[in-house]
């Protein structure tokens, strides 16, 4: 109603006639000289209302403020200002105060049992380190050891790596397998490792192993003629000081530690190629080291494929054959080729991995029970799952589809065989699957199978597939996950003896672990070869706790003897703990669920031609 004149010019007040308009325009007066009476006499009603306002207090005077663009009531302006002040006090001020107060981050949920066990299981590798130890190693009863390994026979020596088990031998075959398994788990579940603060630790453990394995051959060459396959060891029933006859912690070793050399060995070199290739994906953010690992992988795999060197690395060697005897090498061909393809993108490797001759010689499709049990000796089920991954996520099609589909089918049947209802394997009364026919040290096979089963479930979940077929029966992926969790839970204490087979986890765990370093006091006394026997035969628990070590495990009746003298029950191994770590990280909910689908394929080139760009617009 009251507005400014936005168009300029004079503000005209319309009267009732043209005469009045003319008279109004011609009016001139001195407003200061006019009295109220004169104003009433000479101004018309409209002019009076504009110039004089209400008479004699009959009507309260309205006041207005000219803000330039609008003229508004002072009352409205006052209410507006008060509203702004109130809004500031009610809304803005509390917000400012809240933001200025110290922030208290909400606590993350407590770690689940698998995460707690995983922290411990990784520490086992710290306790097994050989060589010059970093100050951050974190195992107070361990020190530098094996500093003369390989000398003077091997240029530069063979210092570093890991002791395999409760003795002080460095077996390169299971060591390489352990590094491959750790790398695989880190590639698939790197977000979980990061969430629980173990990502850098796991990388350091892998690098400690691969750095050492690179010393076991001429890694700067493209063609080699030998590989150092073991450091230390002992002969059966020997009375000569060695890693078996003597009971000494690694820091006290004074006996000779012979180096074993192989001029053949596609099994050992194939596994080493897998370890280097898998680790190169882990260290893809370190271009120089990743490239070094790939070069080493291609070199040792060429050695493995040399037709003149195809004899098992352990054949006839009394220092190796009784302990880590290899039963074949075609599974390592498939395993190593698959990893090299993922690491390099070189199609010659996937062509080899899917070559029908390879599956025939490895008996991949025969469904022989022993060949569907993953272990340091048998990589077939792991290799086929790794190649099934390629089909599930990238589906490369011809010319690989037929073999990849066959690997996928056998992988599904392997998972079926792990389920109780199909009676492929025996089970103990307490609920442990007997993957090694009830023989001693069963847990390493159980842990490996649990990892493969859990990983297969994550592959299915990543593609929205709820399960798979076991013959005519559709099986939910939840059923397979339950198998994996039940087996790891058994290891962690859900068994008839209520014993956790992982040292340091739970309230009841082995105290008499068959381990030289853990059983010998850290009292600065150097015990001799035979002087350490008193600690081997002592009835007291180990003075040092080898945290995270998964021992061999119970017998087929669920019985367990916590006895240092019985290594079948109480000795841990590198390969066993690597499988346990992989299974635990796959099952933990810390860091979320699921896998990293893409990192594995970071070096794999596009499988199909890139679509050409559209033609330029037509110009007449």
């Amino acid at each position: 109603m009251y507005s400014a004149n936005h168009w300029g010019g004079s503000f005209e007040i319309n009267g009732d006639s043209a005469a009045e308009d003319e008279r109004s325009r011609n009016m001139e007066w001195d407003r200061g000289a006019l009295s109220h009476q004169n104003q009433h006499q000479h101004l018309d009603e409209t002019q009076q209302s504009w110039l004089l306002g209400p008479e004699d207090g009959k009507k309260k005077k309205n006041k207005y403020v000219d803000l330039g663009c609008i003229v508004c009531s002072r009352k409205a302006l006052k209410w507006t200002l008060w509203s702004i002040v109130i809004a500031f006090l009610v809304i803005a001020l509390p917000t400012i105060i809240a933001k200025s107060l110290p922030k208290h981050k909400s606590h993350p949920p407590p770690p689940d049992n698998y995460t707690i066990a995983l922290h411990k299981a990784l520490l086992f590798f710290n306790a097994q380190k050989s060589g010059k130890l970093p100050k951050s190693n974190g195992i107070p009863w361990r020190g530098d050891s094996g500093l003369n390994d390989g000398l003077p026979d091997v240029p530069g020596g063979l210092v570093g790596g890991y002791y395999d088990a409760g003795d002080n031998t460095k077996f390169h075959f299971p060591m390489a397998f352990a590094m491959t398994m750790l790398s695989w788990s880190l590639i698939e579940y790197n977000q979980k490792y990061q969430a629980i603060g173990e990502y850098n630790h796991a990388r350091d453990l892998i690098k400690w192993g691969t750095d050492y394995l690179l010393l076991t051959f001429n890694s700067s060459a493209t063609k080699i003629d030998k590989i150092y396959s073991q450091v230390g060891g002992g002969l059966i029933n020997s009375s000569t000081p060695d890693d078996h006859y003597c009971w000494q912690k690694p820091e006290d070793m004074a006996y000779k530690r012979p180096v074993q050399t192989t001029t053949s060995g596609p099994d050992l070199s194939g596994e080493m190629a897998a370890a280097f290739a898998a680790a190169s994906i882990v260290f893809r953010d370190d271009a120089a080291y990743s490239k070094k690992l790939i070069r080493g992988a291609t070199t040792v795999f060429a050695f493995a494929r040399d037709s003149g060197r195809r004899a098992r690395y352990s054949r006839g060697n009394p220092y190796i054959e009784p302990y880590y005897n290899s039963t074949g090498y075609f599974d390592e061909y498939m395993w190593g080729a698959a990893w090299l393809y993922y690491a390099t993108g070189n199609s010659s490797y996937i062509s080899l991995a899917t070559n029908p001759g390879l599956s025939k010689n490895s008996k991949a499709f025969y469904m022989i029970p022993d060949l569907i049990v993953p272990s340091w000796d048998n990589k077939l089920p792991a290799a086929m799952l790794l190649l099934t991954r390629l089909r599930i996520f990238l589906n490369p099609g011809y010319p690989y589809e037929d073999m990849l589909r066959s690997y996928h089918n056998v992988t599904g049947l392997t998972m079926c065989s792990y389920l109780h209802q199909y009676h492929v394997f025996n089970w103990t009364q307490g609920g442990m699957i007997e993957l090694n026919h009830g023989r001693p040290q069963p847990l390493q096979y159980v842990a490996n199978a649990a990892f493969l089963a859990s990983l297969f479930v994550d592959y299915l979940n990543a593609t929205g597939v709820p399960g798979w077929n076991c013959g005519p029966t559709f099986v939910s992926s939840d059923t397979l996950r339950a198998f994996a969790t039940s087996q790891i839970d058994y290891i962690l204490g859900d068994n008839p003896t209520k014993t956790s087979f992982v040292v340091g986890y739970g309230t009841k765990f082995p105290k008499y672990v068959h381990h030289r370093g853990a059983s010998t006091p850290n009292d600065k006394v150097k015990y001799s070869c035979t002087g350490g026997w008193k600690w081997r035969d002592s009835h007291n628990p180990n003075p040092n706790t080898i945290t995270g070590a998964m021992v061999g495990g119970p017998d087929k009746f669920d019985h367990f003897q916590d006895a240092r003298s019985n290594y079948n029950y109480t000795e841990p191994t590198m390969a066993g703990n690597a499988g346990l770590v992989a299974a635990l990280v796959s099952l933990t909910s810390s860091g979320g669920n699921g896998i990293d689908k893409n990192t594995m394929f970071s070096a794999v080139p596009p499988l199909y031609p890139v679509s050409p760009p559209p033609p330029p617009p037509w110009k007449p």
Side-chain angles (χ1 to χ4, degrees), residues 364-562:
F365 304 147
Y366 287 27
M367 289 305 296
I368 299 171
D370 283 351
L371 296 184
I372 56 179
V373 177
S375 72
W376 54 265
D377 181 37
N378 177 43
K379 316 319 180 339
L380 265 181
M384 285 191 282
L385 177 60
L386 190 64
L387 291 165
T388 295
R389 190 190 208 279
L390 178 64
R391 182 173 190 252
I392 289 176
F393 294 119
L394 294 188
N395 192 23
Y398 180 84
Y400 314 115
E401 171 59 18
D402 287 347
M403 290 302 298
L404 291 179
R405 183 175 63 248
S406 297
Y407 292 152
H408 193 166
N409 290 339
V410 172
T411 295
L413 292 174
T414 298
M415 300 304 159
C416 298
S417 74
Y418 296 156
L419 302 180
H420 205 324
Q421 61 261 40
Y422 293 107
H423 307 292
V424 176
F425 296 98
N426 292 328
W427 289 60
T428 68
Q429 288 292 324
M432 180 185 71
I433 188 171
E434 297 179 28
L435 294 171
N436 65 334
H437 305 286
R439 291 192 291 264
Q441 304 176 25
L443 293 187
Q444 59 177 303
Y445 308 101
V446 172
N448 287 338
F451 169 60
L452 295 193
S454 182
L455 185 58
F456 184 64
V457 170
D458 281 333
Y459 289 171
L460 296 178
N461 289 343
T463 49
V465 177
W468 82 108
N469 289 315
C470 291
T473 305
F474 179 81
V475 179
S476 167
S477 57
D478 292 340
T479 303
L480 187 60
R481 182 85 79 187
F483 158 77
T485 56
S486 71
Q487 297 307 293
I488 297 303
D489 288 347
Y490 183 101
I491 292 172
L492 297 181
D494 187 10
N495 54 64
T497 64
K498 302 303 177 187
T499 299
S500 163
F501 298 115
V502 177
V503 177
Y505 178 85
T507 57
K508 183 183 179 183
F509 51 82
K511 304 293 198 307
Y512 296 82
V513 180
H514 182 94
H515 192 276
R516 285 160 175 77
S519 64
T520 304
N522 187 30
D523 56 7
K524 302 188 185 304
V525 175
K526 187 172 183 178
Y527 296 97
S528 66
C529 171
T530 57
W533 288 1
K534 66 178 180 179
W535 303 118
R536 179 194 65 189
D537 303 330
S538 170
H539 296 294
N540 296 323
N542 288 352
N544 306 311
T545 301
I546 183 163
T547 301
M550 183 182 73
V551 297
D555 61 22
K556 60 183 178 181
F557 304 107
D558 298 305
H559 297 156
F560 178 74
Q561 295 179 18
D562 190 6

Side-chain angles (χ1 to χ4, degrees), residues 173-218:
F173 191 39
M175 188 192 303
F177 173 73
M179 296 304 103
T180 310
M181 291 293 282
L182 290 180
S183 293
W184 193 5
S185 72
L186 194 65
I187 295 166
E188 301 281 15
Y189 299 106
N190 67 79
Q191 80 283 1
K192 292 189 179 186
Y193 276 105
Q194 292 185 34
I196 65 174
E198 291 286 7
Y199 180 72
N200 290 330
H201 182 201
R203 280 168 57 107
D204 289 344
L205 295 177
I206 294 166
K207 191 173 187 296
W208 190 269
T210 52
D211 279 352
Y212 172 76
L213 291 172
L214 286 169
L215 301 177
T216 64
F217 65 101
N218 185 357

Side-chain angles (χ1 to χ4, degrees), residues 27-363:
M27 263 202 246
E28 293 181 359
W29 64 85
D30 182 358
R31 291 168 52 181
L34 291 177
S35 67
H36 285 288
Q37 184 66 29
N38 291 336
Q39 290 176 30
H40 282 244
Q41 291 174 350
H42 296 286
L43 296 181
D44 62 24
E45 184 179 314
T46 303
Q47 290 170 330
Q48 290 176 34
S49 68
W50 273 92
L51 299 176
L52 303 177
E55 289 183 308
D56 303 326
K58 292 180 182 178
K59 214 173 187 181
K60 190 173 179 181
K61 181 180 178 182
N62 285 327
K63 297 181 180 180
Y64 302 93
V65 178
D66 187 350
L67 298 177
C69 57
I70 60 171
V71 176
C72 66
S73 166
R74 289 188 181 182
K75 184 176 181 180
L77 179 62
K78 182 170 69 174
W79 278 107
T80 301
L81 292 175
W82 274 110
S83 299
I84 293 172
V85 171
I86 293 171
F88 175 79
L89 293 174
V90 173
I91 300 173
L93 187 60
T95 302
I96 293 172
I97 294 173
K99 288 186 174 294
S100 65
L101 292 174
K103 290 182 173 60
H104 297 283
K105 294 183 179 179
S106 59
H107 295 290
D112 58 28
N113 290 338
Y114 302 126
T115 297
I116 295 170
L118 177 58
H119 287 307
K120 297 179 182 298
L122 286 167
L123 286 176
F124 170 74
F125 294 93
N126 294 62
Q128 296 299 102
K129 284 182 179 179
S130 178
K132 181 80 173 172
L133 301 184
K135 293 181 179 179
S136 61
N137 194 49
I139 309 297
W141 47 271
R142 283 299 327 278
D144 299 343
S145 63
L147 300 181
N148 294 316
D149 280 354
L151 297 174
D153 302 325
V154 179
L158 292 171
V159 178
Y162 293 96
Y163 301 118
D164 177 68
D167 51 28
N168 301 330
T169 309
K170 296 193 290 194
F171 291 100
H172 300 169
F173 191 39
M175 188 192 303
F177 173 73
M179 296 304 103
T180 310
M181 291 293 282
L182 290 180
S183 293
W184 193 5
S185 72
L186 194 65
I187 295 166
E188 301 281 15
Y189 299 106
N190 67 79
Q191 80 283 1
K192 292 189 179 186
Y193 276 105
Q194 292 185 34
I196 65 174
E198 291 286 7
Y199 180 72
N200 290 330
H201 182 201
R203 280 168 57 107
D204 289 344
L205 295 177
I206 294 166
K207 191 173 187 296
W208 190 269
T210 52
D211 279 352
Y212 172 76
L213 291 172
L214 286 169
L215 301 177
T216 64
F217 65 101
N218 185 357
S219 59
S220 62
T222 56
K223 186 176 179 62
I224 58 174
D225 58 6
K226 64 182 177 183
I227 295 177
Y228 302 114
S229 54
Q230 182 174 312
V231 176
L235 300 174
I236 297 294
N237 297 323
S238 171
S239 59
T240 302
D242 59 26
D243 282 328
H244 287 166
Y245 181 75
C246 297
W247 193 270
Q248 286 179 289
K249 57 186 179 181
E251 293 79 4
D252 294 345
M253 294 183 300
Y255 47 81
K256 292 183 179 180
R257 289 169 55 76
V259 174
Q260 306 303 313
T261 305
T262 182
T263 55
S264 62
D267 32 26
L268 170 63
S269 51
E271 181 56 70
M272 288 173 60
F276 293 141
S280 76
I281 301 174
V282 170
F283 292 100
R284 66 196 179 283
D285 57 342
D286 183 345
Y289 190 60
S290 183
K291 184 178 180 181
K292 183 177 182 180
L293 291 169
I294 290 174
R295 185 169 62 246
T298 56
T299 297
V300 292
F301 199 70
F303 177 87
R305 292 292 294 162
D306 189 329
S307 58
R309 302 183 184 276
R310 296 190 182 180
R312 292 178 293 113
Y313 93 107
S314 57
R315 188 177 67 179
N317 189 320
Y319 285 92
I320 300 177
E321 199 168 36
Y323 310 105
Y324 284 102
N325 181 45
S326 172
T327 57
Y329 51 82
F330 285 98
D331 55 327
E332 278 85 16
Y333 279 163
M334 187 186 298
W335 179 239
W339 278 114
L340 272 163
Y341 175 63
Y342 291 147
T344 67
N346 187 328
S347 61
S348 67
Y349 294 118
I350 189 62
S351 296
L352 174 62
T354 55
N355 187 302
L358 204 59
S359 58
K360 179 181 178 182
N361 286 310
S362 64
K363 300 181 174 60

